[in-house]
Amino acid sequence: DTAVSQTPKYLVTQMGNDKSIKCEQNLGHDTMYWYKQDSKKFLKIMFSYNNKELIINETVPNRFSPKSPDKAHLNLHINSLELGDSAVYFCASSRDRAYNEQFFGPGTRLTVL
Amino acid sequence: AQKITQTQPGMFVQEKEAVTLDCTYDTSDQSYGLFWYKQPSSGEMIFLIYQGSYDEQNATEGRYSLNFQKARKSANLVISASQLGDSAMYFCAMREGGTGGFKTIFGAGTRLFVKA
């Protein structure tokens, strides 16, 4: 039973394309996140949703749009992909927005050519 | 300003020995949480240990313990009896309360190499 799953695991695409990454958690958690990990392994929060409500929206280009159809799902859509978007994107969830540990998905390695 | 500082980009330790990975943090909040995560070469992020700012005892989880020095704002991870499988990147993270918006901020990581 996978706690936090992401699809696809690998995504290779051309500049200018639009792509989506899906995330699902079966832990019954209220809060979900998207993180970007760059080539130097630096991990940065992008978005967070609590019970389908956007609560954290970092300085991310508006080409990135998260969508949470229900509290078990948080998808990330990226328009007009650029070379600099190449990274590993992690979805995560936590019981709530307070001081609980986050459970991470396996990551999606996005490569923009 | 860096909120989480991990000063050791890389560390070596002999198998079966203990190792301390350093982490200092910066916050003006009274209420916050400190976390350590492990990222093996396979890429997944694994939660290791948590310390709340009001916890008086240092957190321990199996071979992991967190050396929490609140006045010095440090939260070092101690791994006892290192194993080859401990070779990985280790990230220190902090979650601040209201003024921090409950964002989790990660340090740059320390890569640990365990030698046989």
Side-chain angles (χ1 to χ4, degrees), chain B:
Chain B
Q2 291 279 4
K3 288 228 170 185
I4 295 283
T5 303
Q6 294 181 252
T7 56
Q8 306 150 316
M11 286 279 288
F12 285 88
V13 65
Q14 196 67 40
E15 196 179 9
K16 298 190 180 118
E17 291 185 354
V19 63
T20 298
L21 306 184
D22 294 342
C23 174
T24 57
Y25 60 92
D26 181 27
T27 182
S28 54
D29 277 6
Q30 296 301 310
S31 182
Y32 51 90
L34 297 158
F35 304 83
W36 278 91
Y37 290 86
K38 173 184 177 182
Q39 187 175 41
S41 57
S42 49
E44 71 269 32
M45 292 285 290
I46 302 164
F47 165 75
L48 294 179
I49 197 166
Y50 163 78
Q51 179 86 40
S53 58
Y54 293 117
D55 295 340
E56 294 189 354
Q57 302 265 21
N58 285 343
T60 59
E61 288 285 350
R63 294 186 299 111
Y64 304 109
S65 60
L66 198 151
N67 185 358
F68 182 43
Q69 310 254 336
K70 194 169 181 176
R72 296 179 58 194
K73 292 189 176 174
S74 77
N76 298 340
L77 177 71
V78 181
I79 306 174
S80 62
S82 298
Q83 301 172 356
L84 295 178
D86 294 335
S87 294
M89 279 287 281
Y90 288 82
F91 294 95
C92 179
M94 174 177 65
R95 194 154 203 196
E96 295 174 290
T99 59
F102 292 103
K103 274 188 297 191
T104 302
I105 299 165
F106 285 79
T110 294
R111 187 171 291 282
L112 177 67
F113 299 91
V114 180
K115 299 183 288 185

Side-chain angles (χ1 to χ4, degrees), chain A:
Chain A
D1 276 354
T2 305
V4 183
S5 59
Q6 290 179 233
T7 53
K9 190 162 170 61
Y10 300 96
L11 190 50
V12 181
T13 189
Q14 300 282 342
M15 274 176 55
N17 283 351
D18 303 339
K19 289 294 176 188
S20 292
I21 307 171
K22 295 188 175 186
C23 177
E24 176 180 1
Q25 55 96 1
N26 63 5
L27 298 167
H29 287 171
D30 285 347
T31 312
M32 295 185 72
Y33 313 81
W34 278 111
Y35 287 89
K36 179 180 180 181
Q37 186 174 43
D38 63 24
S39 57
K40 294 187 174 148
K41 299 293 189 183
F42 187 65
L43 201 63
K44 193 172 187 321
I45 182 79
M46 299 172 68
F47 302 103
S48 177
Y49 273 72
N50 188 61
N51 273 319
K52 303 195 297 173
E53 179 190 349
L54 181 66
I55 57 170
I56 294 173
N57 185 353
E58 284 296 279
T59 311
V60 176
N62 57 16
R63 298 181 294 102
F64 289 78
S65 52
K67 284 207 171 39
S68 182
D70 55 61
K71 75 174 195 178
H73 295 84
L74 180 61
N75 304 323
L76 183 65
H77 189 75
I78 315 169
N79 288 327
S80 304
L81 278 154
E82 300 178 358
L83 294 177
D85 298 332
S86 295
V88 180
Y89 292 84
F90 284 99
C91 176
S93 73
S94 64
R95 193 176 69 213
D96 52 44
R97 60 186 293 180
Y99 308 110
N100 311 122
E101 68 267 30
Q102 294 175 30
F103 293 81
F104 283 77
T108 295
R109 182 174 293 278
L110 171 65
T111 303
V112 183
L113 303 174

